Amino acid sequence: MTKNTIKLLDVVALTADLPEYNLYRGQVGTVVELLAGGAAFEVEFSDRNGRTYESAGLRPEQIMVLHFEPPSPDPVSEMMLA
């Protein structure tokens, strides 16, 4: 399994409630800035019309990257199966 690295413009979901920001587990946002050398992330939350309603600096354990396509096969794993 490859390490799930969070990158700029990744679509992410909250893994924890953040009531101080009126944000709750499962809400979806976009990483708009890498903070502290990639140790934290500025995530922007927008409505269906693209209007930002909140922006928060979050730690990696507070978010998970959403994937819209299956992962590419790992060539090393495939070679081991052959």
Side-chain angles (χ1 to χ4, degrees):
M1 187 165 133
T2 60
K3 185 178 178 212
N4 189 12
T5 305
I6 300 170
K7 301 179 299 301
L8 192 63
L9 301 180
D10 274 347
V11 177
V12 297
L14 284 176
T15 60
D17 293 339
L18 300 172
E20 64 274 21
Y21 294 106
N22 200 29
L23 296 170
Y24 297 92
R25 188 170 67 99
Q27 283 186 272
V28 175
T30 303
V31 175
V32 295
E33 191 170 344
L34 304 178
L35 306 172
F41 309 91
E42 186 72 22
V43 178
E44 195 171 89
F45 297 87
S46 302
D47 63 19
R48 291 177 191 231
N49 296 314
R51 291 183 297 243
T52 301
Y53 60 85
E54 190 60 74
S55 184
L58 302 173
R59 296 180 313 276
E61 61 270 14
Q62 294 175 298
I63 55 178
M64 64 181 286
V65 176
L66 300 179
H67 302 278
F68 298 97
E69 296 179 10
S72 299
D74 183 3
V76 174
S77 296
E78 286 204 358
M79 287 174 42
M80 295 176 79
L81 292 174

